[in-house]
Amino acid sequence: MSESRGDTVGIAGAGAFGTALANMVAGAGRDAVLWSTDENVVAEINESHRSESRLPGITLSPRVSAVADPGELCRRARLIVVAVASGQLVTRARLLGEVCDGDTLFVHAIGALTEPGQRRGSSPTGGALPSEILVAETPALRIGALAGPALPDELCRGRYASMVCASPFAEVTAETRRLCGAPPVLRIYEGSDLAGVELSAALAGAYTIALGIADALEVGPVPRAVLVTRAVAEGARVVEAAGGDKKTFFGLAGLGNLLVRGPGSAPAGATSETAPGSRDYRLGRDLGGGAQPSVSTEGARAAVALIRVAAKVGVRAPVLAAVAAVVTGELSPEDAAAAAADTVAAAE
């Protein structure tokens, strides 16, 4: 491993979060290289140091570069942060698997699960965790997950944020903290509960939709507080039953994510790209206001996948079930809210 490869951060995915992270890394004095399949995005970043469709109005550090070739990404960086939409993960992982080696360290920042059954083998989640996809599709053996309340727009403005990197391999978390952390602006904490962090991040997105629906229905502060409390307890049960530590959901990846994604998380002028976490909340507001059912955000996709996980591990999850039913059109927001409330009350 060359010194330059060891000190360069590779980021697979040039969306809002990946680009903001690259700029943060570069601002801390390290090189960051983004891999995008869109050659126009690659050219814009390399030629003008901007990415207007992802981070409008932000000038990127000259230490941020972009490539269209995944092989070039792997040649230039040993640590690669995978920051793509969950629906793109299998395709991207296979492309990376063709060009990376077993020395590569992968850390993903995906706040959803993939569809069970896309990976050979069995696990408590049915093969739905992003880390399981990366293990199956690449020769890399050391995998981690990065999650927590860090919105792209906030990172670009130098506002404080914290994330947790979890992996069973201490080298993965240590290298992620060394290369991606930029204290005091971005602090990265280390942990070993990989499954717990992945599940918590996905659950936070799904429950954010529930908050948006509740606010659109104007349920009031007391029912909203009950919703949050029930969601947190439910999320901890799902995490534990699916192989994680229930305490992980009370940390940055779960509750921290949930708190930052609600109303007020998107700065004035921000777009759905510059504040991706808030897209789940806005979807909930739209659905609660009568919009057509949609599985268009990571939180919505997470809800659909997670309700299957909850059933597989034998956990009753009425809040999660309500969100999944609304985004798929099985129930109206009003009926789903009533069903969730009845189920919770019956369990008491």
Side-chain angles (χ1 to χ4, degrees), residues 99-127:
V99 293
C100 75
D101 56 36
D103 191 46
T104 303
L105 306 178
F106 280 115
V107 174
H108 76 81
I110 299 171
L113 276 64
T114 54
E115 284 297 312
Q118 287 185 305
R119 169 190 177 272
R120 293 180 296 276
S122 62
S123 72
T125 65

Side-chain angles (χ1 to χ4, degrees), residues 286-305:
D286 290 344
L287 292 171
Q292 290 298 307
S294 172
V295 189
S296 60
T297 69
E298 291 288 64
R301 289 185 281 271
V304 173

Side-chain angles (χ1 to χ4, degrees), residues 157-338:
R157 284 163 173 72
R159 294 173 178 168
Y160 297 153
S162 294
M163 303 187 79
V164 58
C165 179
S167 173
F169 301 97
E171 183 185 13
V172 173
T173 59
E175 281 295 275
T176 302
R177 186 178 186 182
R178 179 178 75 88
L179 294 175
C180 297
V185 177
L186 176 60
R187 296 187 183 276
I188 296 178
Y189 297 89
E190 299 178 49
S192 59
D193 187 15
L194 175 56
V197 165
E198 292 180 284
L199 290 161
S200 294
L203 284 160
Y207 292 139
T208 300
I209 295 174
L211 288 181
I213 293 172
D215 289 347
L217 297 178
E218 299 182 343
V219 300
V222 173
R224 192 183 197 276
V226 172
L227 168 63
V228 172
T229 304
R230 292 297 187 183
V232 170
E234 178 182 289
R237 291 196 300 271
V238 173
V239 168
E240 183 176 43
D245 185 335
K246 65 181 180 181
K247 293 192 297 292
T248 298
F249 190 77
F250 304 136
L252 293 171
L255 183 57
N257 255 332
L258 179 59
L259 292 174
V260 80
R261 293 180 177 191
S265 62
T271 67
S272 60
E273 279 296 316
T274 61
S278 66
R279 292 184 66 218
D280 294 322
Y281 178 76
R282 290 200 295 274
L283 174 62
R285 289 294 300 252
D286 290 344
L287 292 171
Q292 290 298 307
S294 172
V295 189
S296 60
T297 69
E298 291 288 64
R301 289 185 281 271
V304 173
L306 283 162
I307 197 60
R308 296 171 184 164
V309 171
K312 182 180 177 68
V313 298
V315 174
R316 295 170 69 256
V319 179
L320 191 60
V323 174
V326 173
V327 299
T328 57
E330 295 177 23
L331 290 175
S332 69
E334 294 82 359
D335 289 344

Side-chain angles (χ1 to χ4, degrees), residues 16-40:
F17 176 77
T19 306
L21 181 62
N23 199 48
M24 173 70 67
V25 166
R30 296 177 287 274
D31 292 331
V33 55
L34 289 155
W35 168 40
S36 174
T37 57
D38 187 331
E39 295 190 358
N40 291 327

Side-chain angles (χ1 to χ4, degrees), residues 28-181:
R30 296 177 287 274
D31 292 331
V33 55
L34 289 155
W35 168 40
S36 174
T37 57
D38 187 331
E39 295 190 358
N40 291 327
V41 170
V42 173
E44 182 184 20
I45 291 173
N46 290 334
E47 294 170 8
S48 66
H49 301 295
R50 298 179 77 87
S51 183
E52 286 298 320
S53 62
R54 274 68 172 182
L55 295 174
I58 301 296
T59 298
L60 302 175
S61 166
R63 300 193 72 156
V64 175
S65 60
V67 297
D69 176 13
E72 180 65 16
L73 178 77
C74 293
R75 284 189 291 273
R76 292 175 58 181
R78 181 184 180 226
L79 175 69
I80 296 177
V81 179
V82 181
V84 299
S86 59
Q88 300 176 11
L89 178 58
V90 172
T91 299
R92 294 292 192 102
R94 286 174 180 167
L95 291 172
L96 288 168
E98 294 172 357
V99 293
C100 75
D101 56 36
D103 191 46
T104 303
L105 306 178
F106 280 115
V107 174
H108 76 81
I110 299 171
L113 276 64
T114 54
E115 284 297 312
Q118 287 185 305
R119 169 190 177 272
R120 293 180 296 276
S122 62
S123 72
T125 65
L129 296 179
S131 62
E132 295 172 332
I133 298 296
L134 289 169
V135 168
E137 302 294 346
T138 75
L141 301 175
R142 288 160 291 181
I143 308 292
L146 185 64
L151 297 176
D153 204 74
E154 302 284 285
L155 290 178
C156 288
R157 284 163 173 72
R159 294 173 178 168
Y160 297 153
S162 294
M163 303 187 79
V164 58
C165 179
S167 173
F169 301 97
E171 183 185 13
V172 173
T173 59
E175 281 295 275
T176 302
R177 186 178 186 182
R178 179 178 75 88
L179 294 175
C180 297

